[in-house]
Amino acid sequence: MLELRAATFRYPVSRPRRFRPWATAPGPGIRGIDLSLSSGTILGLVGPNGAGKSTLMQVMASILPLEDGSLSVEGATAIEDCRATIGYMPERVTWNGPGTAQQAIERLCIMRDIPKENGHDLLDLVGLGNRVLDDLSTFSQGMKQRLSLAAALLGNPKILLLDEPLNGLDPVAQGAFRTLLRQLAEKGSSVVISSHTLSDLERLADEFVLMHHGRIVANGPLLEIERNLGLRATLEIAGLGIPPTSFGEDIEAKEIPLHEGEEWAYHLHLAKGEWTTQRRSELGPEMTFTRLQPVQAGLETVISAATGLDIEDAGFTILSEADSDA
């Protein structure tokens, strides 16, 4: 649906010279980006602070012009044609001044020649149906996020670009938002979502793009990225009876916390290869297992492996699923 080839955009930064005090030079941005979006896919865009995620989104939305490379959306390359099929939600939109949510969305409908009724339906969809006549000055950050999402959905875009869309949303609204995105993807939309909360992305995204210093350093399904980075395949096992004493020379075993009723539990790390069905069956037919399942390394480990940064230094928030639902 969307293709970027060798896409480069760098912000100009001041480099004054003696006889050219206004001179600039290329600064940070994105460089040499190759990326393809497929219909029906939710893509998670991750990277440390300053990696170029927001810049990449603005390039895909045709807000920032390419310095080099190309952008096409469903085969179209003209800026207006590209913009027509894309809905973009910036990280933060300032909805201030006099007026209501209904008036704000109606103005956008008029500007884009879209029936006002469509905008009203979208306000209901994002959960603002009972606040459409309230002044924007009374809106919380979460309500403003919902209004921004409604604006991004105007015109039924085939591609949605969402920059930190869950900021300010309460847990109930986050759950509804995740359900909405999955429904849109199932109908063929392509969704790109950037978030610094890793638990959100792990539950939402089908594939991931990892950025660092303005470049893509890894992309694809999470398990594929893990293997490309050389992260070992891990199997979680637990059971009853006498604990195993050995698993083989190419397997590293590490004890993990027990669940109720279990007598032993381990993470088994393969030196190389995958935990195939055959490899799992070789662990011991005499064992009584209560757990036997592959374990993904997760975004936290993947980001640290790809960038060399501790996850806290990269500016991410790490929440367990229980924390994010609290």
Side-chain angles (χ1 to χ4, degrees):
M1 296 184 73
L2 180 150
E3 283 192 330
L4 282 171
R5 290 291 174 260
T8 296
F9 171 86
R10 292 171 294 179
Y11 296 95
V13 294
S14 179
R15 290 288 189 274
R17 300 177 183 176
R18 182 176 181 181
F19 297 108
R20 297 182 62 199
W22 59 86
T24 61
I30 60 171
R31 292 174 291 170
I33 297 292
D34 291 328
L35 180 63
S36 297
L37 301 184
S38 302
S39 62
T41 299
I42 298 179
L43 182 71
L45 185 60
V46 293
N49 289 330
K53 303 183 298 296
S54 295
T55 299
L56 177 57
M57 280 198 169
Q58 291 180 53
V59 165
M60 288 192 286
S62 296
I63 295 172
L64 294 177
L66 282 175
E67 175 185 328
D68 196 10
S70 63
L71 164 69
S72 65
V73 179
E74 294 194 314
T77 56
I79 290 179
E80 292 304 318
D81 292 336
C82 292
R83 289 175 177 171
T85 57
I86 291 177
Y88 173 55
M89 179 179 173
E91 180 176 356
R92 186 179 293 270
V93 178
T94 304
W95 297 99
N96 291 329
T100 65
Q102 180 171 303
Q103 291 171 333
I105 206 74
E106 285 181 351
R107 285 195 291 268
L108 292 174
C109 289
I110 292 171
M111 292 169 63
R112 298 185 57 182
D113 195 24
I114 295 172
K116 293 181 181 179
E117 293 74 16
N118 292 12
H120 299 165
D121 292 341
L122 289 173
L123 291 177
D124 290 334
L125 181 67
V126 300
L128 289 177
N130 61 344
R131 300 295 301 269
V132 294
L133 299 181
D134 291 358
D135 196 275
L136 292 174
S137 62
T138 68
F139 274 28
S140 66
Q141 179 57 33
M143 293 175 188
K144 292 177 181 179
Q145 288 290 90
R146 296 183 190 212
L147 181 54
S148 296
L149 178 59
L153 290 170
L154 278 175
N156 296 316
K158 296 179 181 179
I159 299 171
L160 265 180
L161 308 176
L162 309 174
D163 197 352
E164 299 289 347
L166 299 179
N167 282 355
L169 295 183
D170 59 61
V172 173
Q174 289 184 17
F177 180 81
R178 287 192 289 264
T179 300
L180 172 61
L181 289 188
R182 180 53 59 191
Q183 291 172 343
L184 291 171
E186 289 173 353
K187 293 179 180 179
S189 296
S190 179
V191 181
V192 180
I193 178 170
S194 173
S195 175
H196 277 85
T197 304
L198 299 185
S199 59
D200 293 337
L201 286 180
E202 287 186 332
R203 284 191 283 174
L204 269 170
D206 305 308
E207 298 181 5
F208 297 87
V209 167
L210 176 56
M211 298 188 68
H212 193 39
H213 294 315
R215 297 185 182 275
I216 293 177
V217 295
N219 68 313
L222 188 56
L223 183 59
E224 179 182 314
I225 294 175
E226 291 173 12
R227 297 300 168 262
N228 290 340
L229 290 172
L231 298 175
R232 296 178 298 174
T234 300
L235 186 72
E236 184 177 288
I237 68 169
L240 305 173
I242 300 174
T245 57
S246 176
F247 297 98
E249 294 182 358
D250 64 337
I251 298 174
E252 177 188 342
K254 180 180 180 181
E255 290 190 37
I256 59 175
L258 299 175
H259 291 176
E260 185 176 354
E262 294 176 341
E263 296 179 338
W264 49 265
Y266 297 92
H267 273 171
L268 304 183
H269 305 286
L270 279 179
K272 59 181 179 180
E274 296 292 332
W275 280 106
T276 62
T277 301
Q278 181 177 347
R279 287 300 300 266
R280 294 198 298 268
S281 67
E282 294 171 353
L283 288 174
E286 72 283 356
M287 295 183 188
T288 301
F289 291 106
T290 57
R291 277 185 277 168
L292 183 65
Q293 58 193 21
V295 178
Q296 287 190 336
L299 277 177
E300 177 183 350
T301 302
V302 165
I303 291 168
S304 295
T307 64
L309 297 172
D310 290 335
I311 204 68
E312 292 81 4
D313 295 336
F316 288 96
T317 300
I318 306 168
L319 297 174
S320 68
E321 188 163 323
D323 292 332
S324 59
D325 286 338

